[in-house]
Amino acid sequence: MRTKEKRRGSSERVIEELVFSGRMPTNVASGQGDHTVAEGLLRRVIHKVVGQRRNDAFAVVLDLVINSSLSADKADAIVEKNQPHYQGFADKSGEDQNRLLEDLIQDYVRAANKRAYTAFPRKAAKTAGGGGERAALKQLDLLSVKYYDNYKQEVPDEHHIAEQDRQIFVANVCTLVDYAGDDIEEAVKIVQRAMVTALERVPFYVIWQSLLERVTAKLIVEDAAFRDDVTEKVAAILTKSYVEEYRAAWCIGPSVWDEGEDTDEESSSGTEH
């Protein structure tokens, strides 16, 4: 992670660039396996912090770690283990803040990759290896820029979202999902994961339900009953949020930061390897 002056002569620094290297291990016992939802989508989510103050970026990434931990085996382990490590972030020096943010980002990707059904062995025949992920991620990024720019980061009303853009969103989310099984628990986890992660990147969450139905219709074509069951269960999950509860336990959150100071939250892309 690299930082730069927020403005010429300013003592405050914002994140300029993030570089990712290699892949985190998945939940597959041996080898990486095939991801059911592209790991690149996880990394794109982190790019939201580029251009932000370190304190604000810390709050954003912490939310991601908490949500990922809640979906992992022994859900609270990562949160509880690392709580002392990250407490007092705002009082750390700049170099220490950089190091802690890098650690937190690593914890996010690790936790997200260790969740159940993140990957399957190729021999399990539940995935086909995917494809077209890079182009799909680019299309989601373009949507993100379009709506953040047009609505100045406020959530647009449903009628403000063009039908063509809804189709682009659904098509590219589906491209990032690779699952060919018929287990309801697996399907719910995978579809939910794709939706939540994509919605972290693109401000479409005001119309989750309609987009979810389109996603499941495209992913599950042949079995209507199975598709309806997946849709209903995922829709219920999308209404829940546990972030504030865990933020309180960590004794950190937006109220800790200096609210009198403006923040630069422009979305930008860092370099990814």
Side-chain angles (χ1 to χ4, degrees):
M1 186 181 75
R2 298 197 316 180
T3 61
K4 65 178 180 180
E5 293 179 349
K6 184 174 181 179
R7 60 182 66 88
R8 185 180 296 276
S10 171
S11 61
E12 185 181 14
R13 302 187 71 82
V14 297
I15 297 171
E16 178 181 30
E17 183 181 37
L18 296 173
V19 177
F20 294 91
S21 179
R23 291 173 61 191
M24 286 289 186
T26 67
N27 60 313
V28 175
S30 60
Q32 283 285 344
D34 284 337
H35 272 79
T36 56
V37 178
E39 187 187 44
L41 189 55
L42 298 176
R43 297 180 172 190
R44 281 293 194 273
V45 170
I46 291 293
H47 281 162
K48 289 198 304 183
V49 304
V50 173
Q52 291 191 21
R53 298 184 306 168
R54 283 178 288 212
N55 284 352
D56 297 318
F58 180 74
V60 169
V61 182
L62 177 60
D63 284 353
L64 295 173
V65 173
I66 289 169
N67 282 332
S68 297
S69 300
L70 286 165
S71 303
D73 292 337
K74 298 180 180 179
D76 299 336
I78 294 174
V79 173
E80 292 177 354
K81 177 182 177 182
N82 290 332
Q83 181 174 341
H85 181 57
Y86 296 117
Q87 279 183 325
F89 179 87
D91 298 326
K92 304 288 187 183
S93 69
E95 289 185 4
D96 284 343
Q97 285 189 342
N98 279 15
R99 178 178 58 81
L100 289 173
L101 258 173
E102 288 172 350
D103 290 348
L104 194 65
I105 289 170
Q106 182 167 302
D107 279 345
Y108 160 62
V109 181
R110 180 187 294 113
N113 267 320
K114 282 297 186 179
R115 293 172 298 184
Y117 316 128
T118 292
F120 290 109
R122 180 70 62 88
K123 64 182 180 182
K126 293 185 176 181
T127 61
E133 295 174 358
R134 185 184 299 271
L137 291 168
K138 183 177 180 180
Q139 289 299 312
L140 290 178
D141 278 345
L142 290 173
L143 282 183
S144 176
V145 171
K146 173 180 178 179
Y147 280 93
Y148 275 119
D149 284 354
N150 286 354
Y151 295 95
K152 302 187 185 303
Q153 300 176 30
E154 295 180 2
V155 181
D157 293 332
E158 182 172 352
H159 68 275
H160 288 150
I161 300 174
E163 174 59 27
Q164 181 180 5
D165 290 337
R166 299 182 194 210
Q167 294 174 7
I168 290 171
F169 177 85
V170 170
N172 289 289
V173 168
C174 291
T175 297
L176 297 172
V177 178
D178 183 19
Y179 178 66
D182 56 4
D183 182 280
I184 185 65
E185 182 179 1
E186 292 173 353
V188 167
K189 289 287 187 183
I190 291 165
V191 173
Q192 173 246 334
R193 189 165 301 154
M195 287 293 293
V196 168
T197 311
L199 290 164
E200 287 279 5
R201 190 71 184 115
V202 183
F204 273 25
Y205 47 91
V206 288
I207 51 170
W208 266 342
Q209 300 301 320
S210 60
L211 292 178
L212 172 62
E213 290 172 2
R214 295 191 191 192
V215 167
T216 54
K218 189 174 179 67
L219 289 173
I220 307 169
V221 177
E222 297 182 0
D223 190 335
F226 182 66
R227 177 174 66 243
D228 291 344
D229 201 4
V230 171
T231 303
E232 180 180 357
K233 291 180 184 299
V234 174
I237 294 170
L238 291 178
T239 64
K240 298 179 181 179
S241 174
Y242 305 92
V243 170
E244 291 305 320
E245 172 188 346
Y246 274 81
R247 271 191 166 179
W250 282 53
C251 299
I252 56 178
S255 60
V256 173
W257 316 132
D258 180 7
E259 294 181 351
E261 191 170 25
D262 65 334
T263 60
D264 178 4
E265 296 179 351
E266 251 183 49
S267 180
S268 180
S269 295
T271 302
E272 179 176 346
H273 296 300

